[in-house]
């Protein structure tokens, strides 16, 4: 398992620190599904799929492109949607790449942008946090 610290509840949310390894996205998707299932109201299936996909893409991007050994994932019930924050130790912001139909990628960031009603990147000298909101 890739969890460095066990998932922790905070307010109307859930967070965890993950090792940047091949299982990080798997664990992040499981965490997102658990979080969505625990919300006090039903989440539309399309929204749940979008949240899970955004979480998976953001964590996968960290594993593939960022530096450092750890990343964190925080999920928050915002009332009008789900807030997603993925942080890592690399200050370099995500950048679009050319789509590569041979399997090398380039689809994740455009997909995250399309599925998110809000998307911001906060870069710091010691890393960055990508904040996304999937509304419903």
């Amino acid at each position: 398992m890739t969890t460095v610290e066990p998932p922790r509840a905070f307010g109307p949310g859930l967070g965890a620190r993950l090792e940047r390894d091949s299982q990080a996205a798997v664990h992040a998707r499981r965490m997102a599904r658990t979080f969505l299932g625990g919300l006090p109201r039903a989440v539309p299936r399309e929204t749940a799929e979008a949240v899970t996909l955004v979480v998976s893409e953001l964590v996968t991007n960290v594993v593939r492109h960022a530096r450092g050994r750890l990343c964190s994932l925080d999920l928050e019930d915002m009332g009008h949607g789900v807030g997603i924050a993925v942080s890592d130790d690399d200050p370099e912001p995500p950048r679009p790449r050319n789509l590569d139909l041979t399997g090398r990628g380039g689809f994740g960031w455009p997909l995250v942008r399309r599925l998110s009603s809000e998307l911001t990147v906060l870069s710091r000298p010691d890393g960055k946090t990508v904040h996304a909101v999937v509304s419903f």
Side-chain angles (χ1 to χ4, degrees), residues 12 14 16 27 34 38 41 57 64 72 88-89 93 96 100 103 106 116 124 131:
L14 182 68
H27 184 68
T34 298
R41 64 196 174 293
E57 288 296 332
R64 291 179 102 186
S72 65
D88 62 63
D89 297 332
D100 185 339
S116 302
R124 306 171 310 279
H131 293 274

Side-chain angles (χ1 to χ4, degrees), residues 15-132:
R17 292 192 43 85
L18 308 170
E19 286 191 26
R20 286 183 46 247
D21 64 19
S22 62
Q23 294 299 303
V26 172
H27 184 68
R29 285 190 298 272
R30 187 177 310 123
M31 189 174 136
R33 287 190 292 270
T34 298
F35 173 76
L36 292 168
L39 291 178
R41 64 196 174 293
V43 176
R45 193 187 88 196
E46 297 81 16
T47 302
E49 290 172 358
V51 167
T52 303
L53 189 53
V54 168
V55 164
S56 183
E57 288 296 332
L58 290 177
V59 171
T60 297
N61 283 349
V62 168
V63 170
R64 291 179 102 186
H65 304 294
R67 298 180 300 203
R69 188 176 72 82
L70 304 174
C71 67
S72 65
L73 168 62
D74 294 292
L75 302 167
E76 180 181 5
D77 180 0
M78 302 182 73
H80 68 284
V82 175
I84 302 161
V86 176
S87 301
D88 62 63
D89 297 332
D90 189 343
E92 188 68 31
R95 62 180 188 273
R97 300 181 325 147
N98 292 329
L99 301 180
D100 185 339
L101 300 177
T102 65
R104 289 198 171 102
F107 294 93
W109 189 242
L111 187 60
V112 167
R113 291 179 63 194
R114 181 174 171 87
L115 294 173
S116 302
S117 57
E118 301 172 37
L119 184 61
T120 59
V121 179
L122 173 63
S123 289
R124 306 171 310 279
D126 64 340
K128 71 177 163 298
T129 301
V130 177
H131 293 274

